[in-house]
Amino acid sequence: MWYIVKTDVFTEQKSIDLLGEKFKDTIVDFYFPMGRRIYKNEQGEKEVRFTPVLQGLFFIRVQSEERLESILSQYGYFMYKGVDYRARSAEVVERTFFTKAHILCADSKSRTLREIVKQAKIPDDDMERFIYYNDKIAEGIEGLSIVAKRYSDLIKVNDTIRIINGPMTGWVGVVKQVKHKSKKDRHLFVRFGNNLCLNISNVRQYDMQIEHEATVGAKPEAVGAWRAIDQLIGYLQAKDSEKNASDTLRNHFKDYLKKLTVYRNRHSSDIAYSNKVTERTAAHQEEILSNIDDSMRNNFRILANYFKADGGTVEQGLKELIPDIILRPFFTPTSGIAIPQGQDYAVLCHNGIVEFILRCNLRKFFRGKDYEADKYAPVFDEDYEYYAHFALLETDGGKVKAICSWGGFYDYYASQNKEEREKFHANLQSKKYPRLLYLLTQSEYKFEKVNGIGGFSIETDIVYTEDMEELGRRANEFFTLRSSLFTQLTAAAVEMWQGARMLVWRQLLQRYVLLHKVPVIDLPSVITHDSKTEEAFVKADGRLDINNISVALAKARKTIEEYLEKGELAGAVFKFLSASLVFSSHFAQDELYNYITDTFNPDYTFTELFDEIINHLSKKSCPSLLSHLHKGMVELQEQESWTYFKFPSFLKQTRKIVKMVKQTN
């Protein structure tokens, strides 16, 4: 395992020599990256100089974390025993010496030594990638640095991108504009260890694509609102196809947010009056919510908070955020209507159109066949399950014209003059958007507005019929037999979504064409907190009570087995993962492995429970539950108990669960 060490600038090699001499039994390797610099001397002649790539930093590799802790002070400085000569007394005494070199960790004074060591650790994979990068292109490195920024914090407020060419092909990180030496430049921040980021300048020269969106801040909040609005409109279109879903939704929000008149008795106190207002408001809002399905209420409440405004602006805001639409965006995360069993499509009649809704998986479009998943971002199929929406319109010739909505994207394109469009096409070519360029200029599709729907349309040989089910069957057959036509549309939409250059157009696509799902990797932990089991690990006089822990384990086992007996598989899986997390977190942290006996062995217990759960799941088709179990297992593998002790051992069967998920899908 590698660790990053900080020392004074220009004393790096001196520190390396000292540590190598004093701690040769603990430190087994050093890495001090050097870069080749070409400069001109006073005579104007070119000379070569090798200088540190990272000023004041180098890396050490150790075999034992415990050994490393034994040679560090409370704040992470290296220390060793030596002798000192006291001139006044002429005595030679033994004392502890502290070096200037120390383990790099932010806020070291507020952390324990174990926490410092943990934060400074650099995984072998990260280190190998860094060494490769330095050795590959060190000659041209400028502005390379290691910064104390949490990668997990950066990806919340910034879109995550992937480099797709050059020496960093496949690297995943965050791109931010940084001012360096009075010049603005785009920097790539990639995860480096537990608490640091590698900061690489001048990445504008490389092609990159967006992996997934930020989840925190004003921008993701807006995207989340668009997603929730679409879901509610889909629900309302299916519930009452005769009404304008957008208008219905706006009216619901206006009623929900309406300020009620509550009369105040002169004898009422402020508290009594406030309670009366709260009660009236709650009753009124509950009445509005009664018109909405339970599954949609959470979306509605979230949006109600998002729409909060004064009475004069709320109507205008609602009109802007919930425009009148005939057809939902081309791709959405939800169908709006249940897909019949055994089918991948459904049909719905509303707003005077027949809507064809096709379930599809876009993984190959987002990832490509040569994609290799980043170790920090596992790929799950359900992240890429979407629903495509087409309106099936009757032509003058009695045939079907299929059109998908590109909404505001189309409107912006249609508003451009000839010169502006030519410039846009040239930008698509130069900035590498070939699929969208082809779709606009050479494909069988027309970019037009038909029946109030602006988007890509195509003439089919399908004879129009009033029988919706038959029409849906024929449309499904059309896109199945002519899959390349569907591929053209999809590839162009994903290409623009992933593009990191034409951001105005991308935002239009985000809202009106491809409403991206929140990837699993960005979602909160799939494992719920088990506070009851956690209570058993509260220490008394600094010691664990193994009897309490044993009782808690037995209770957890009983609960899980009762769930299985009742056929409540979801409850069993959730409780199993929760209990596993509690024991995993304490296995290494509190050295639970020292308490293992013939009568108390959590690993045996969890393995037996895991086998029971898998046995029940194999008898039923539960792809979503299997997937949830898989995500929980991936999460558990991040624990130190798995990294160092391979506890719990049932995690070795992660691949088995992946295969089971694929088989059930």
Side-chain angles (χ1 to χ4, degrees):
M1 59 196 77
W2 288 91
Y3 293 86
I4 187 167
V5 177
K6 178 80 171 77
T7 191
D8 290 347
V9 177
F10 307 125
T11 67
E12 300 93 345
Q13 191 58 54
K14 186 177 178 181
S15 293
I16 290 171
D17 293 340
L18 177 63
L19 297 186
E21 177 192 344
K22 299 295 182 181
F23 310 113
K24 57 186 176 183
D25 292 335
T26 301
I27 302 173
V28 296
D29 198 7
F30 293 88
Y31 181 64
F32 182 36
M34 303 290 286
R36 185 173 180 268
R37 303 284 187 268
I38 299 175
Y39 71 101
K40 288 184 179 180
N41 59 23
E42 293 179 354
Q43 289 75 40
E45 300 169 333
K46 288 185 179 179
E47 292 190 5
V48 174
R49 177 182 294 168
F50 288 89
T51 59
V53 172
L54 301 166
Q55 298 283 343
L57 297 174
F58 60 90
F59 302 86
I60 62 171
R61 185 164 66 89
V62 302
Q63 288 184 333
S64 168
E65 194 170 312
E66 288 74 20
R67 274 194 177 183
L68 176 62
E69 290 181 13
S70 70
I71 60 173
L72 297 176
S73 71
Q74 178 186 353
Y75 301 131
Y77 285 80
F78 289 88
M79 60 183 186
Y80 60 93
K81 297 287 186 181
V83 294
D84 191 20
Y85 177 74
R86 292 180 178 175
R88 288 185 179 181
S89 60
E91 289 182 293
V92 177
V93 295
E94 188 179 52
R95 74 177 184 89
T96 300
F97 291 86
F98 297 89
T99 70
K100 292 181 179 180
H102 61 91
I103 296 292
L104 183 64
C105 175
D107 303 320
S108 59
K109 290 188 177 182
S110 62
R111 300 178 185 273
T112 66
L113 179 58
R114 176 160 289 188
E115 288 172 337
I116 292 171
V117 171
K118 183 180 178 180
Q119 293 297 330
K121 188 187 302 178
I122 309 295
D124 288 348
D125 289 350
D126 288 11
M127 202 63 208
E128 287 171 12
R129 187 168 65 170
F130 173 68
I131 292 172
Y132 168 81
Y133 172 76
N134 182 60
D135 292 346
K136 187 92 171 174
I137 57 173
E139 189 172 339
I141 293 177
E142 289 185 11
L144 180 69
S145 61
I146 292 172
V147 293
K149 294 181 182 288
R150 290 182 184 272
Y151 183 73
S152 56
D153 292 337
L154 286 178
I155 62 171
K156 290 177 183 176
V157 296
N158 297 278
D159 292 340
T160 304
I161 64 94
R162 177 180 293 268
I163 304 291
I164 56 178
N165 69 338
M168 293 186 292
T169 299
W171 284 36
V172 174
V174 166
V175 171
K176 293 185 68 177
Q177 190 160 280
V178 176
K179 196 171 184 179
H180 180 66
K181 294 182 179 179
S182 301
K183 292 183 179 179
K184 289 183 178 178
D185 187 20
R186 297 184 85 188
H187 285 223
L188 175 68
F189 293 83
V190 298
R191 188 193 300 267
F192 196 60
N194 297 312
N195 199 36
L196 302 166
C197 281
L198 189 64
N199 176 16
I200 303 168
S201 66
N202 193 26
V203 295
R204 198 181 294 273
Q205 58 187 307
Y206 305 120
D207 294 331
M208 56 190 75
Q209 65 182 30
I210 294 172
E211 285 274 290
H212 56 82
E213 297 166 346
T215 57
V216 174
K219 182 184 171 185
E221 188 179 354
V223 175
W226 303 336
R227 197 182 289 119
I229 290 167
D230 169 74
Q231 189 173 1
L232 282 162
I233 285 179
Y235 155 74
L236 291 169
Q237 284 178 343
K239 182 182 179 183
D240 193 344
S241 59
E242 299 298 319
K243 292 183 179 179
N244 181 327
S246 298
D247 194 48
T248 300
L249 187 58
R250 287 194 298 267
N251 287 332
H252 279 331
F253 279 120
K254 281 192 287 187
D255 288 344
Y256 189 86
L257 298 170
K258 183 167 65 177
K259 289 186 177 180
L260 303 177
T261 302
V262 181
Y263 294 100
R264 180 173 184 175
N265 189 302
R266 63 178 180 171
H267 301 296
S268 298
S269 65
D270 290 344
I271 295 174
Y273 178 71
S274 177
N275 290 338
K276 187 177 180 181
V277 172
T278 302
E279 289 172 8
R280 281 285 307 276
T281 302
H284 171 74
Q285 291 181 345
E286 189 60 36
E287 186 181 348
I288 304 300
L289 287 171
S290 66
N291 299 310
I292 299 170
D293 189 81
D294 288 348
S295 61
M296 296 291 123
R297 289 189 181 188
N298 192 46
N299 268 348
F300 191 91
R301 288 192 181 96
I302 292 170
L303 286 170
N305 288 327
Y306 186 79
F307 290 142
K308 276 187 177 177
D310 61 67
T313 63
V314 67
E315 188 164 348
Q316 184 181 348
L318 287 171
K319 191 71 177 176
E320 168 65 24
L321 287 161
I322 312 177
D324 288 318
I325 63 166
I326 297 171
L327 182 66
R328 292 170 70 188
F330 178 31
F331 280 119
T332 65
T334 56
S335 62
I337 186 174
I339 303 293
Q341 194 169 0
Q343 290 184 185
D344 283 323
Y345 69 91
V347 287
L348 176 66
C349 187
H350 63 89
N351 292 315
I353 64 168
V354 175
E355 181 180 354
F356 172 70
I357 305 166
L358 178 65
R359 179 166 53 204
C360 45
N361 193 294
L362 305 190
R363 179 171 176 173
K364 68 177 182 181
F365 297 98
F366 275 102
R367 299 304 195 186
K369 52 185 180 181
D370 299 324
Y371 175 83
E372 291 185 15
D374 182 65
K375 67 173 182 172
Y376 297 109
V379 176
F380 302 103
D381 274 339
E382 61 265 38
D383 286 349
Y384 303 99
E385 189 172 274
Y386 287 82
Y387 298 88
H389 302 263
F390 291 89
L392 305 179
L393 308 174
E394 184 177 8
T395 66
D396 293 338
K399 298 294 181 71
V400 170
K401 173 181 280 193
I403 184 169
C404 61
S405 176
W406 282 50
F409 190 103
Y410 168 82
D411 294 336
Y412 192 53
Y413 182 84
S415 69
Q416 296 186 317
N417 58 38
K418 184 181 177 182
E419 187 179 336
E420 288 171 329
R421 287 189 189 181
E422 288 175 352
K423 184 180 178 181
F424 176 59
H425 293 166
N427 278 336
L428 289 176
Q429 185 168 6
S430 63
K431 293 177 179 179
K432 299 183 179 179
Y433 293 87
R435 294 178 179 90
L436 182 57
L437 179 62
Y438 177 83
L439 194 61
L440 287 167
T441 59
Q442 302 173 55
S443 76
E444 296 178 50
Y445 285 96
K446 287 179 68 177
F447 208 28
E448 61 177 348
K449 180 167 277 190
V450 185
N451 287 27
I453 304 169
F456 287 99
S457 70
I458 190 167
E459 302 279 351
T460 76
D461 56 359
I462 302 171
V463 178
Y464 192 88
T465 174
E466 297 294 333
D467 186 340
M468 284 200 314
E469 293 300 323
E470 177 62 17
L471 199 59
R473 188 192 66 76
R474 292 176 186 177
N476 183 60
E477 188 177 75
F478 174 83
F479 284 112
T480 301
L481 294 175
R482 298 165 179 82
S483 59
S484 61
L485 293 174
F486 183 73
T487 297
Q488 286 177 30
L489 273 175
T490 306
V494 174
E495 177 183 72
M496 178 56 68
W497 188 94
Q498 289 191 314
R501 291 192 167 102
M502 303 178 72
L503 297 182
V504 173
W505 289 96
R506 180 178 183 268
Q507 186 175 25
L508 289 168
L509 183 126
Q510 280 179 293
R511 181 173 184 181
Y512 297 106
V513 184
L514 200 167
L515 288 172
H516 195 55
K517 300 179 74 170
V518 181
V520 169
I521 195 64
D522 288 336
L523 291 175
S525 168
V526 300
I527 305 178
T528 55
H529 181 63
D530 189 347
S531 56
K532 281 290 182 186
T533 306
E534 186 68 50
E535 287 174 3
F537 288 87
V538 176
K539 294 179 179 178
D541 300 325
R543 293 177 61 85
L544 293 175
D545 188 331
I546 201 64
N547 291 325
N548 286 344
I549 296 170
S550 184
V551 169
L553 180 62
K555 285 182 178 178
R557 177 168 193 159
K558 184 180 178 183
T559 302
I560 294 164
E561 288 176 339
E562 285 175 351
Y563 276 129
L564 292 173
E565 287 174 10
K566 296 175 185 176
E568 298 176 6
L569 300 186
V573 170
F574 296 159
K575 180 66 178 178
F576 174 74
L577 290 173
S578 299
S580 297
L581 180 60
V582 172
F583 277 83
S584 292
S585 61
H586 290 281
F587 195 84
Q589 179 183 328
D590 293 324
E591 300 179 347
L592 192 61
Y593 46 81
N594 289 324
Y595 297 88
I596 301 296
T597 64
D598 291 340
T599 57
F600 175 75
N601 193 326
D603 196 33
Y604 288 165
T605 301
F606 285 117
T607 300
E608 289 172 358
L609 287 170
F610 178 80
D611 291 340
E612 287 183 46
I613 289 170
I614 296 302
N615 184 45
H616 280 77
L617 288 174
S618 62
K619 296 176 181 177
K620 294 186 177 182
S621 180
C622 304
S624 60
L625 202 52
L626 276 168
S627 181
H628 187 93
L629 177 60
H630 174 252
K631 294 170 196 174
M633 292 171 73
V634 170
E635 197 172 314
L636 288 169
Q637 286 176 332
E638 297 175 2
Q639 296 288 316
E640 287 190 351
S641 58
W642 173 253
T643 305
Y644 299 115
F645 302 101
K646 293 299 178 260
F647 172 90
S649 60
F650 70 79
L651 296 179
K652 295 176 183 178
Q653 302 186 60
T654 302
R655 289 185 179 179
K656 175 182 177 181
I657 305 304
V658 174
K659 288 180 181 178
M660 289 180 67
V661 172
K662 290 179 179 178
Q663 288 170 359
T664 54
N665 283 326

